[in-house]
């Protein structure tokens, strides 16, 4: 922007701020702004349209159009030029409005006489709040500088909207954001219900003075913050922690590149020159980045734009001195609301959280894995939750239905309380049967174990009534760190787990990385189909370094106690035999080194690929135990990606083919004397668990919270009668036995919910 225009822009912004500071209600402020902008930019019309409800823009103030149209003229997003601006978040400038694409005539405004039109979005951090328009009668070509000038004004209005400057007293005021009930639907990340108080992971930064009083001083503040930012990034890059890190280093290198990017800095400085405070200049760039993010399809480019967005957040924090959430300030009933969150950050909050709601996230993301391990209700892909939630709001999370309520009405909150009470009552009922055996009415006894992945899970062992840990996912400890853990750290961790389990058995699964579980510090080849790719035992055998280190840590942690080790994703006998040999070689090594070796080591395999079910008998004889990893087995059995929302629910676990396959595996193991269990998510669903038991499985491993409901159902049914109902459905040609089984359970009044 040329100097003279920059000076004019600064003068306008200051007058704007002074106008806003004068007494009056929100409507008066809006009116004054339109008058000021119209006179300063030599326009006959200036109008402000605000998004009053989802998808609707309302003319909230005007100078030049008919006053009777104010609060009457409304348009949907995409309707008319104003709707187009809001929809595309881009300006429209024309000297012939009537013949411009998208033009729509609103007769009540009397706008037909104005040929020239310039409109810009009023937006903050990628979120469009409204549209600011100027119009002229005569054909006028608005220059780029005029467009930029109006955008700068719109930035200030956006900040003021955020501060609530236009809401409050008059009945015609647009409704304030962060007031009134809001409901959004997402995708289930983890079942369960929670009621609590919103805790924003990234607190919104409120800028009380968006206008620079002294641009020279603002430039100096920006320079100082940039300097500090570059220092932070360099320090992270040089920290020992990252000696040979892969992807994480890439992110930091990208940050460094951005932090020194001349274009980025120049654009922010130009905004300050035009009269914006340094924070708003940073936000303006962020708005632009987010707009680009929503347009680009390329995954790599999106990642880089994410990096730039993260970096801008850091810069904002440096400028405002507001840090990320202080762990000490986490309220007791906090429900964390975040755009996305890393597994390490989520673990930092730990069990203090009642629930988690993410605007992004995926079912298989690390954060989702951690939330599941912590048994915290989680809703992902909850649309607009960041925009609507404010710290301290009441929030209800229904992880069973993937619904989130903010500031709920009393009737919704009441219904929710009833649901929580029912869940609590059910918990009491489960506590009553905790120490009783899991024995069906016809005398079949089952073993119920729990799945775990964090030390934080172990305290659930006794209260849940689990008879041991059937699956300990060791990769979680690797996923939540920035570097490969050291052997001594692992020895300490595994010892604590064994100590805490006491006489109850723990089955440690060796590292299952790859596919959905990507270590941030491990460089991996690009794979077209990661779920079918280089993962789990395949990585362990091809690059035995980490696996050997892990085996050593397990052997040492056992310290003479019995040890159970399980290899994930074994697809053929050879892989198991090689892993088996590796364990024995490590036992020998430990012995040679004079370390105590376990009393005995049991070595098992996860059956997660159909191929292993057809392995030679010798495999079943060598394996001390087998556990069916149903999550993976099902995705390969049906060729349906477990993370793809379009297909993952398409095939029922109680599908006749899948159940019959489970039955075959169970019978083969029985014939060959190999203990068999099931440890996928389905084991924790009561009806599924019953069907597996009916197919012959006698050991199930599940989330601790599922043990109560599963046990209650199993204790209430006659297993051979359940098998009869399943067999009838199969004989009948049913695609899934679910309907028949549930009908039978209802008839016998079994507790299925
Ligand atoms: C499974 O695949 O069923 C399983 C238990 O392993 P994970 O979910 O960790 O892949
Ligand atoms: Mg698996």
């Amino acid at each position: 922007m040329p100097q003279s225009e920059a000076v004019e822009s600064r003068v306008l912004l200051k007058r704007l701020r002074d106008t806003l500071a004068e007494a009056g209600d929100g409507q008066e402020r809006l009116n004054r702004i339109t008058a000021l902008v119209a006179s300063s930019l030599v326009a006959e019309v200036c109008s402000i349209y605000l998004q009053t409800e989802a998808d609707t823009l309302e003319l909230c103030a005007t100078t030049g159009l008919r006053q009777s149209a104010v609060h009457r003229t409304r348009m949907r997003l995409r309707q008319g030029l104003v709707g187009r601006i809001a929809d595309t978040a881009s300006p429209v400038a024309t000297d012939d409005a009537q013949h411009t694409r998208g033009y729509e005539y609103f007769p009540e405004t009397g706008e037909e006489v104005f040929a020239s039109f310039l409109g810009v979005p009023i937006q903050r951090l990628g979120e469009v709040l409204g549209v600011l328009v100027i119009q002229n009668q005569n054909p006028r070509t608005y220059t780029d500088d005029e467009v930029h000038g109006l955008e700068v004004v719109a930035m200030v209005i956006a900040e003021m909207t955020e501060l609530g400057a236009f809401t409050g007293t008059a009945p015609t005021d647009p409704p304030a954001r962060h007031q009134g009930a809001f409901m959004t639907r997402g995708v289930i990340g983890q079942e369960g219900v929670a009621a609590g108080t919103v805790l924003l992971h990234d607190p919104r930064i409120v800028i009380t003075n968006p206008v620079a009083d002294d641009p020279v001083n603002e430039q100096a503040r920006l320079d100082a913050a940039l300097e500090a930012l570059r220092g932070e990034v360099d320090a992270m890059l040089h920290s020992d922690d990252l000696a040979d890190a892969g992807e994480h280093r890439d992110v930091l290198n990208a940050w460094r590149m951005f932090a020194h990017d001349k274009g980025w800095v120049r654009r922010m400085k130009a905004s300050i020159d035009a009269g914006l405070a340094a924070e708003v200049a940073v936000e303006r760039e962020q708005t632009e980045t987010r707009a680009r993010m929503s347009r680009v399809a390329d995954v790599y480019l999106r990642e880089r734009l994410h990096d730039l967005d993260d970096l801008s957040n850091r810069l904002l924090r440096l400028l405002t001195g507001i840090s990320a959430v202080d762990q000490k300030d986490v309220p007791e009933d906090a429900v964390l609301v975040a755009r996305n969150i890393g597994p390490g950050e989520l673990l930092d909050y730990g069990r203090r959280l009642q629930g988690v709601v993410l605007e992004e996230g995926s079912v298989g993301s690390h954060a989702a894995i951690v939330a599941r391990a912590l048994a915290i209700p989680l809703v992902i892909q909850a649309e607009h939750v960041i925009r609507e939630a404010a710290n301290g709001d009441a929030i209800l999370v229904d992880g069973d239905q993937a619904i989130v309520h903010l500031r709920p009405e009393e009737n919704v909150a009441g219904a929710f309380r009833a649901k929580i009470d029912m869940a609590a009552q059910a918990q009491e009922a489960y506590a009553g049967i905790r120490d009783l055996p899991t024995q069906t009415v016809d005398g079949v006894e089952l073993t119920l174990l729990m799945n775990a992945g964090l030390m934080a899970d172990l305290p659930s062992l006794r209260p849940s009534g689990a008879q041991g840990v059937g699956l300990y996912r060791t990769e979680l400890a690797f996923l939540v760190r920035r570097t490969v853990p050291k052997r001594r750290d692992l020895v300490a961790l595994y010892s604590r787990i064994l100590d805490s389990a006491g006489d109850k058995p723990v089955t440690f699964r060796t590292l299952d990385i790859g596919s959905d579980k990507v270590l941030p510090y491990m460089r991996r080849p690009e794979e077209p189909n990661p779920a079918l790719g280089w993962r789990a035992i395949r990585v362990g055998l091809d690059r035995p370094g980490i696996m050997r280190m892990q085996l050593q840590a397990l052997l040492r942690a056992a310290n003479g106690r019995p040890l159970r080790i399980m290899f994930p994703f074994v697809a053929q006998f050879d892989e198991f035999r090689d892993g088996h040999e590796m364990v024995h070689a490590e036992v020998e090594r430990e012995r040679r080194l004079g370390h105590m070796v376990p009393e005995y080591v049991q070595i098992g395999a996860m059956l997660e690929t159909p191929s292993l079910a057809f392995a030679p008998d010798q495999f079943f004889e060598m394996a001390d135990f087998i556990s069916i990893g149903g999550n993976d087995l099902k995705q390969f059995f049906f060729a349906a990606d477990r993370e793809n929302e379009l297909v993952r629910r398409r095939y029922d676990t109680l599908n006749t083919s899948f159940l019959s396959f489970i039955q075959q595996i169970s019978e083969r193991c029985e014939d060959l004397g190999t203990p068999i269990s099931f440890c996928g998510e389905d084991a924790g669903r009561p009806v599924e668990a019953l069907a597996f038991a009916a197919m012959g499985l006698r050991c199930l491993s599940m989330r601790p919270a599922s043990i109560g409901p599963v046990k209650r159902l199993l204790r209430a049914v006659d297993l051979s009668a359940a098998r009869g109902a399943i067999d009838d459905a199969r004989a009948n040609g049913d695609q899934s036995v679910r309907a028949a089984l549930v009908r039978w359970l209802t008839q016998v009044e079994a507790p299925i919910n």
Side-chain angles (χ1 to χ4, degrees):
M1 193 180 272
Q3 255 325 298
S4 59
E5 310 230 358
V7 173
E8 268 175 41
S9 169
R10 291 203 292 265
V11 171
L12 170 57
L13 292 197
K14 277 194 187 153
R15 285 178 58 196
L16 192 62
R17 193 199 39 208
D18 295 345
T19 307
L20 285 166
E22 286 166 22
D25 63 24
Q27 186 64 51
E28 284 165 325
R29 291 199 180 106
L30 285 170
N31 294 345
R32 288 202 298 262
I33 295 175
T34 56
L36 176 66
V37 174
S39 73
S40 303
L41 301 183
V42 202
E44 281 120 28
V45 174
C46 173
S47 310
I48 294 175
Y49 299 80
L50 292 176
Q51 243 197 76
T52 48
E53 39 193 275
D55 288 350
T56 306
L57 290 153
E58 181 176 306
L59 175 64
C60 285
T62 185
T63 293
L65 298 183
R66 283 192 202 123
Q67 288 305 315
S68 54
V70 171
H71 297 302
R72 266 186 58 215
T73 298
R74 292 201 181 93
M75 60 217 49
R76 290 186 310 281
L77 285 189
R78 290 179 285 280
Q79 191 186 0
L81 293 180
V82 170
R84 184 178 131 193
I85 294 164
D87 182 43
T88 57
S90 333
V92 169
T94 171
D95 58 4
D96 185 6
Q98 280 82 345
H99 295 102
T100 300
R101 183 172 56 86
Y103 175 79
E104 193 170 322
Y105 175 44
F106 292 89
E108 70 278 13
T109 60
E111 66 179 337
E112 62 277 10
V113 295
F114 302 104
S116 307
F117 174 105
L118 167 60
V120 297
I122 299 172
Q123 57 181 334
R124 184 172 191 263
L125 298 178
E127 184 194 334
V128 176
L129 308 171
V131 174
L132 174 65
V133 175
I134 58 173
Q135 288 170 280
N136 285 83
Q137 270 193 26
N138 296 329
R140 169 173 169 188
T141 306
Y142 299 103
T143 64
D144 282 351
D145 287 336
E146 283 170 326
V147 177
H148 287 154
L150 198 64
E151 280 176 336
V152 168
V153 172
M155 278 296 303
V156 175
I157 297 177
E159 294 297 336
M160 290 303 186
T161 310
E162 187 64 22
L163 284 176
F166 310 123
T167 55
T169 49
T172 47
D173 283 344
R177 198 175 281 285
H178 307 147
Q179 280 179 22
F182 172 80
M183 191 269 260
T184 182
R185 212 175 265 279
V187 169
I188 300 172
Q190 152 83 20
E191 283 101 350
V193 286
T197 308
V198 167
L199 173 71
L200 288 171
H201 176 54
D202 256 327
R204 291 174 92 89
I205 290 178
V206 178
I207 299 165
T208 44
N209 182 6
V211 178
D213 286 314
D214 174 359
V216 178
N217 185 40
E218 290 301 299
Q219 301 278 12
R221 286 182 61 230
L222 181 67
D223 281 337
L226 280 167
E227 187 75 28
L229 179 73
R230 290 170 188 147
E232 276 186 5
V233 175
D234 284 346
M236 281 190 260
L237 262 168
H238 293 125
S239 85
D240 291 344
D241 251 16
L242 285 161
D244 54 4
E247 278 181 37
H248 192 67
R249 178 168 285 274
D250 291 348
V251 169
L252 286 176
N253 275 324
W255 277 17
R256 175 149 73 179
M257 200 182 75
F258 289 129
H260 289 270
D261 184 88
K262 289 202 174 70
W264 185 55
V265 176
R266 192 182 53 240
R267 288 192 301 273
M268 289 191 286
K269 293 201 158 180
S271 293
I272 293 178
D273 217 23
L276 293 177
E279 290 87 344
V280 188
V282 178
E283 280 195 0
R284 189 174 181 204
E285 277 304 297
Q286 247 183 321
T287 297
E288 180 53 33
T289 308
R290 291 194 184 169
R292 277 170 66 203
M293 221 143 55
S294 66
R295 285 194 298 264
V296 298
D298 181 86
V299 179
Y300 178 81
L301 211 58
R302 276 177 68 92
E303 285 290 319
R304 292 291 81 85
L305 289 170
H306 256 295
D307 292 342
L308 179 55
D309 194 50
D310 286 348
L311 192 76
S312 303
N313 272 335
R314 264 180 184 266
L315 185 58
L316 268 181
R317 291 205 185 115
L318 284 166
L319 272 169
T320 54
I322 297 173
S323 56
V325 174
D326 185 336
Q327 295 297 319
K328 291 194 294 297
D329 296 340
V330 176
E332 240 173 46
D333 60 348
V335 170
L336 191 75
V337 176
R339 188 169 297 282
N340 220 335
I341 187 167
E345 291 169 305
L346 189 52
L347 265 186
D348 284 344
Y349 290 106
R351 289 197 189 277
R352 285 175 301 168
L353 298 179
Q354 300 297 310
V356 180
V357 180
L358 301 180
E359 187 149 330
E360 296 173 1
S362 70
V363 180
S365 66
H366 302 164
I369 294 169
V370 171
R372 249 170 261 150
L374 293 172
I376 301 173
L378 166 71
V379 174
I380 56 174
Q381 294 165 30
E383 229 188 340
H384 298 317
V385 72
I386 296 283
R387 182 183 83 184
E388 296 291 337
N391 265 331
D393 276 352
I395 182 168
L396 308 174
V397 183
D398 185 339
D400 303 334
Q401 314 276 343
I403 295 175
V404 178
H405 294 276
L406 282 169
R407 306 173 290 271
E409 309 276 3
E410 185 40 43
N411 57 351
V412 174
F416 212 81
R417 273 196 299 274
K419 190 168 174 171
I420 291 181
D421 286 349
M422 264 172 58
Q425 275 167 21
Q427 284 304 330
E428 270 175 38
Y430 305 146
I433 55 170
R434 187 182 56 205
D435 299 321
L436 300 177
T438 309
Q439 194 174 52
T440 62
V441 170
D442 49 341
V444 177
E445 188 150 345
L446 286 103
T447 302
L448 303 188
L449 305 170
M450 69 174 240
N451 292 346
L454 300 165
M455 185 59 217
D457 293 321
L458 268 293
S460 306
L461 188 54
R462 266 155 249 277
S464 67
Q467 290 160 270
V469 177
L471 166 65
Y472 189 92
R473 292 178 160 105
T474 59
E475 60 277 2
L476 284 191
F478 285 69
L479 281 171
V480 298
R481 305 168 77 110
R482 288 185 168 178
T483 52
V484 186
K486 303 225 167 21
R487 187 176 59 193
R488 63 166 182 276
D489 300 335
L490 292 183
V491 175
L493 173 67
Y494 299 152
S495 308
R496 275 170 52 217
I497 292 162
L498 287 169
D499 291 348
S500 148
D503 56 355
K504 296 195 191 313
V506 178
T507 301
F508 288 97
R509 174 172 81 182
T510 61
L511 264 190
D512 182 11
I513 47 170
S515 184
D516 57 324
K517 300 159 189 137
V518 181
L519 298 185
Y521 38 84
M522 188 167 155
R523 195 172 285 280
R524 298 180 48 80
E526 276 290 314
E527 294 186 291
N529 286 307
L532 306 176
W534 196 53
R535 53 175 294 198
I537 195 169
R538 300 170 182 178
V539 181
L541 294 175
D542 292 354
R543 299 272 162 79
I546 292 192
M547 180 132 112
R548 286 184 44 203
M549 185 268 279
Q550 188 181 28
L551 291 174
Q552 289 159 13
L554 284 167
L555 293 168
R556 284 190 198 174
N559 196 24
R561 292 172 280 194
L563 183 64
R564 284 169 68 84
I565 296 174
M566 176 160 74
F567 291 112
F569 212 66
V570 177
Q572 59 180 10
F573 184 19
D574 263 12
E575 289 166 342
F576 182 68
R577 199 168 20 210
D578 291 349
H580 199 274
E581 265 174 27
M582 220 155 136
V583 175
H584 285 294
E586 290 311 320
V587 172
E588 277 320 303
R589 180 176 175 274
E590 289 297 294
R591 210 194 298 276
R592 265 201 321 277
L593 291 174
H595 293 294
M596 182 119 87
V597 295
E599 190 184 331
Y600 56 87
V601 185
Q602 292 176 315
I603 309 170
M606 287 195 72
L607 196 157
E608 301 182 275
T609 60
S611 64
L612 199 65
F614 303 95
D617 287 352
Q618 285 78 355
F619 158 70
F620 290 86
E621 284 155 7
M622 181 183 270
D624 291 315
F625 60 92
I626 291 172
S627 193
I628 299 174
N631 306 337
D632 273 313
L633 185 63
K634 198 174 144 196
Q635 78 166 338
F636 298 121
F637 189 77
F638 288 113
D641 187 342
R642 63 193 258 192
E643 279 196 61
N644 182 339
E645 286 301 322
L646 296 173
V647 297
R648 75 188 192 98
R649 287 174 212 277
R650 194 178 177 95
Y651 304 99
D652 190 2
T653 304
L654 300 193
N655 175 295
T656 297
S657 315
F658 189 63
L659 269 194
S660 302
F661 186 43
I662 299 290
Q663 184 186 350
Q664 276 177 35
I665 297 169
S666 164
E667 286 172 358
R668 187 146 187 231
C669 286
E670 165 128 42
D671 289 348
L672 295 167
T674 319
I676 173 91
S677 63
F678 188 108
C679 66
E681 292 297 313
D682 286 317
R685 303 194 169 102
V687 177
E688 278 81 340
L690 171 63
F692 296 153
M695 294 300 103
L697 297 182
R698 295 291 173 262
C699 179
L700 305 171
S701 192
M702 61 198 76
R703 279 189 271 127
S706 300
I707 289 182
V710 167
K711 189 173 193 173
R712 185 172 63 157
L713 179 61
L714 288 172
R715 283 177 52 84
V717 294
D718 181 307
L719 196 58
S720 58
R723 170 69 184 257
I726 292 174
D727 285 347
D728 285 350
R730 291 199 284 192
N732 211 18
D734 290 4
Q735 180 172 279
S736 162
V737 307
R738 183 177 302 277
L741 186 56
V742 170
R743 211 178 311 121
W744 176 77
L745 284 167
T746 315
Q747 265 167 24
V748 299
E749 296 180 9
I752 38 179
N753 292 311

